């Protein structure tokens, strides 16, 4: 009976599809939309909230949970970690736009949000080291996320004027572009069983030769 359960578990894992195209697509859409606000192309955050919840959060969380099933610790941690990030950002925007009522007497200290971004910068720095062992496209995405969180952290603290917000917006737009490419590469390469769009091989001192 135990052997039968183990066999069924192996078959279930083998039948699980590659979740990376979905996760990267979710990241691409939400960063594309959100970057336009930072770059001054659009205004406000109300219409970004649905994309933050359903693409930035839900799509990445689904991909992350599927990666846990595939025993892919790096992918599961990345997609899940950033999925929860976008849930937090969406709730912050909902409070700021009055969608979720706030106590008028509440003390609002935006530097707390800055330190949340600092925490995600630290998280992304060691995830960037892990991305070196996956592909060059994914490494570029994580490197740009590093710049995004650095820009957000500094700009919210009110240091350096508008430069850091603009830098964060440029990095976020770059994340969208490379995430679209990464999603397409994962999808087409998996679908055809060969390299249609190259993603670049793993590199660095810890990459498997």
């Amino acid at each position: 009976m135990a052997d039968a359960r183990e066999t069924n578990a192996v078959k279930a894992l083998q039948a699980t599809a590659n979740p990376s195209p979905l996760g990267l697509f979710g990241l691409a859409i939400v960063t594309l939309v959100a970057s336009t606000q930072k770059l001054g192309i659009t205004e406000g955050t109300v219409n970004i909230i649905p994309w933050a919840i359903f693409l930035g959060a839900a799509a990445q969380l689904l991909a992350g949970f599927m990666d846990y099933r595939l025993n892919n610790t790096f992918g599961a941690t990345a997609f899940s970690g950033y999925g929860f990030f976008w849930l937090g950002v969406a709730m912050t925007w909902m409070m700021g736009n009055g969608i979720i009522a706030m106590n008028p007497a509440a003390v609002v200290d935006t530097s707390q949000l800055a330190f949340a971004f600092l925490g995600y910068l630290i998280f992304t720095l060691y995830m960037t080291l892990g991305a070196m062992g996956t592909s060059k496209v994914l490494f570029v995405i994580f490197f740009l996320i590093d710049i995004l969180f650095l820009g957000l952290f500094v700009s919210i603290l009110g240091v350096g004027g508008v430069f850091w917000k603009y830098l964060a917006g440029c990095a976020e737009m770059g994340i969208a572009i490379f995430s679209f490419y990464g999603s397409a590469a994962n999808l087409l390469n998996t679908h055809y069983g060969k390299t249609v769009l190259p993603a670049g091989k793993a590199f660095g001192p810890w990459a498997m030769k």
Side-chain angles (χ1 to χ4, degrees):
M1 184 66 69
D3 290 340
R5 285 198 297 266
E6 290 176 5
T7 301
N8 290 334
V10 171
K11 288 181 178 179
L13 287 173
Q14 291 173 340
T16 302
N18 178 10
S20 294
L22 174 63
L24 288 171
F25 173 69
L27 177 62
I29 288 292
V30 70
T31 51
L32 174 64
V33 178
S35 66
T36 62
Q37 188 268 339
K38 295 180 182 65
L39 294 173
I41 300 171
T42 63
E43 296 182 0
T45 56
V46 173
N47 284 326
I48 310 176
I49 294 172
W51 305 101
I53 293 174
F54 292 105
L55 276 298
Q60 290 201 85
L61 286 172
L62 177 59
F65 296 157
M66 290 177 68
D67 264 335
Y68 275 116
R69 185 183 172 103
L70 290 170
N71 197 29
N72 179 1
T73 303
F74 179 82
T77 304
F79 284 132
S80 299
Y82 295 116
F84 285 118
F85 166 80
W86 282 107
L87 280 180
V89 170
M91 181 168 286
T92 301
W93 285 336
M94 291 169 75
M95 291 188 294
N97 285 289
I99 300 172
I100 297 179
M102 292 179 61
N103 184 343
V107 176
V108 179
D109 188 345
T110 56
S111 62
Q112 293 171 341
L113 184 59
F115 282 102
F117 290 142
L118 176 61
Y120 261 92
L121 172 59
I122 296 170
F123 171 69
T124 307
L125 285 171
Y126 62 79
M127 294 300 286
T128 304
L129 294 179
M132 294 169 63
T134 56
S135 70
K136 290 183 175 65
V137 168
L138 202 60
F139 172 79
V140 171
I141 292 171
F142 276 90
F143 178 75
L144 290 171
I145 297 175
D146 290 326
I147 298 175
L148 169 63
F149 283 128
L150 176 63
L152 291 174
F153 171 65
V154 177
S155 66
I156 290 178
L157 290 180
V159 179
V162 299
F163 168 78
W164 289 100
K165 182 178 180 180
Y166 183 76
L167 178 65
C170 291
E172 195 166 35
M173 181 64 78
I175 294 165
I177 293 169
F178 278 94
S179 294
F180 274 122
Y181 181 88
S183 176
N186 270 275
L187 175 68
L188 296 175
N189 296 348
T190 300
H191 180 65
Y192 287 108
K194 62 180 179 180
T195 302
V196 177
L197 293 176
K201 294 182 179 179
F203 67 102
W206 307 293
M208 295 180 62
K209 303 299 181 183

